Amino acid sequence: MEKLDLIAGATIALDKPLTWSSFSLINKFRYEACRFLGIRKLKVGHAGTLDPLATGVMILCTGKHTKQIPQLQEGRKEYIANIRLGQTTPTYDMESEPDAFFPTDHITRELVLERLQGFVGTIEQVPPAFSAVKVDGKRAYDLARKGRDFELKAKTLVIDEIELLDYTLPDIQIRVVCSKGTYIRALARDIGLALGSGGHLTALRRTRVGEFTLADCYRVEDIQSFLHQHVAPLDTTNE
């Protein structure tokens, strides 16, 4: 098997751990790769971030493969999402404490199945206030943390599939296949509203980006062994 040339360009899938930022994962890989190759700099980019409380597939591109990032970002994404109904949080996930509570007694499995199908197809979604969306040149999460009032415009996106995997009130688990730009946190919010209640994420795992699945991913603890097994060392014979 031909070894990868990270400087010329390679595409690698990693499984982002819980609480890690996307940039922390990139920095970890870059550090280990530079150390392995004995260089100071390596161009590394990614094809779509994940929130710190989300785990799963992140595609990293090095060298000239970074030019493929826009194309890779267009790939369909699949997620497994755990949603708690009956309450909301400002961030739509577990990063913040619940700020409101709602009834769930009226919610049935049949109602959940019916409402979920209403999200399949082309929909309009308002991004979370705590997101990287820019408002007048500033990140929305910066404005939200400062308590500023602002309005985010709805974005058009496509939900290909939604499947109910588990129904154990007040929690449900769903599988979502969607286009780029979809905020699963916002989807949890909207599902809660559609059920006449509230909702926020309790766990999120990205299981696929385009053709890359979790089966293709390396874990953080495997990065060093991956480099030694699959990456070509620098040729220093001519130095």
Side-chain angles (χ1 to χ4, degrees):
M1 183 177 176
E2 187 176 349
K3 293 203 170 185
L4 301 173
D5 185 336
L6 296 184
I7 296 176
T11 300
I12 304 109
L14 295 179
D15 185 349
K16 189 191 82 64
L18 187 66
T19 73
W20 281 50
S21 71
S22 300
F23 297 107
S24 295
L25 186 60
I26 290 172
N27 289 338
K28 172 66 174 176
F29 181 84
R30 183 190 290 116
Y31 170 79
E32 295 293 351
C34 286
R35 189 177 169 194
F36 172 75
L37 294 171
I39 58 177
R40 291 187 176 183
K41 292 182 180 181
L42 178 67
K43 188 175 185 180
V44 183
H46 65 84
T49 61
L50 277 173
D51 291 332
L53 294 184
T55 65
V57 182
M58 260 196 72
I59 301 175
L60 270 59
C61 297
T62 74
K64 292 183 179 179
H65 276 218
T66 54
K67 294 179 181 179
Q68 299 176 11
I69 286 175
Q71 179 183 347
L72 291 168
Q73 287 177 324
E74 293 295 329
R76 281 298 191 258
K77 297 175 176 64
E78 180 184 73
Y79 297 90
I80 303 296
N82 292 2
I83 301 172
R84 177 150 301 159
L85 301 172
Q87 59 188 47
T88 57
T89 69
T91 55
Y92 308 156
D93 62 12
M94 298 283 281
E95 192 174 346
S96 54
E97 295 295 321
D99 59 356
F101 297 87
F102 304 87
T104 59
D105 294 345
H106 64 286
I107 298 175
T108 63
R109 185 186 185 92
E110 291 69 30
L111 182 63
V112 172
L113 289 169
E114 177 190 324
R115 293 292 188 264
L116 287 181
Q117 289 312 302
F119 291 94
V120 177
T122 302
I123 65 170
E124 297 291 314
Q125 184 186 77
V126 177
F130 288 87
S131 66
V133 174
K134 286 193 174 181
V135 181
D136 296 328
K138 296 182 179 179
R139 298 292 186 186
Y141 55 70
D142 287 331
L143 297 174
R145 285 169 184 153
K146 292 176 181 177
R148 304 279 180 83
D149 289 327
F150 59 93
E151 188 174 339
L152 292 174
K153 295 180 180 179
K155 293 189 174 184
T156 302
L157 50 91
V158 178
I159 305 288
D160 296 300
E161 300 175 44
I162 295 187
E163 178 186 3
L164 180 63
L165 299 179
D166 186 63
Y167 170 84
T168 312
L169 284 186
D171 299 308
I172 62 172
Q173 184 184 68
I174 61 174
R175 181 183 68 89
V176 183
V177 179
C178 56
S179 65
K180 75 169 186 176
T182 304
Y183 281 94
I184 307 298
R185 286 185 289 139
L187 184 62
R189 168 203 65 196
D190 295 341
I191 289 171
L193 284 170
L195 290 168
S197 185
H200 68 82
L201 281 182
T202 56
L204 181 65
R205 186 151 177 78
R206 187 156 69 191
T207 53
R208 179 167 65 89
V209 177
E211 300 301 316
F212 291 87
T213 69
L214 284 171
D216 302 309
C217 291
Y218 294 92
R219 300 175 302 169
V220 168
E221 53 266 40
D222 297 329
I223 290 177
Q224 288 186 16
S225 60
F226 160 78
L227 293 169
H228 282 88
Q229 291 176 26
H230 300 288
V231 174
L234 288 183
D235 184 359
T236 58
T237 58
N238 295 324
E239 290 185 3

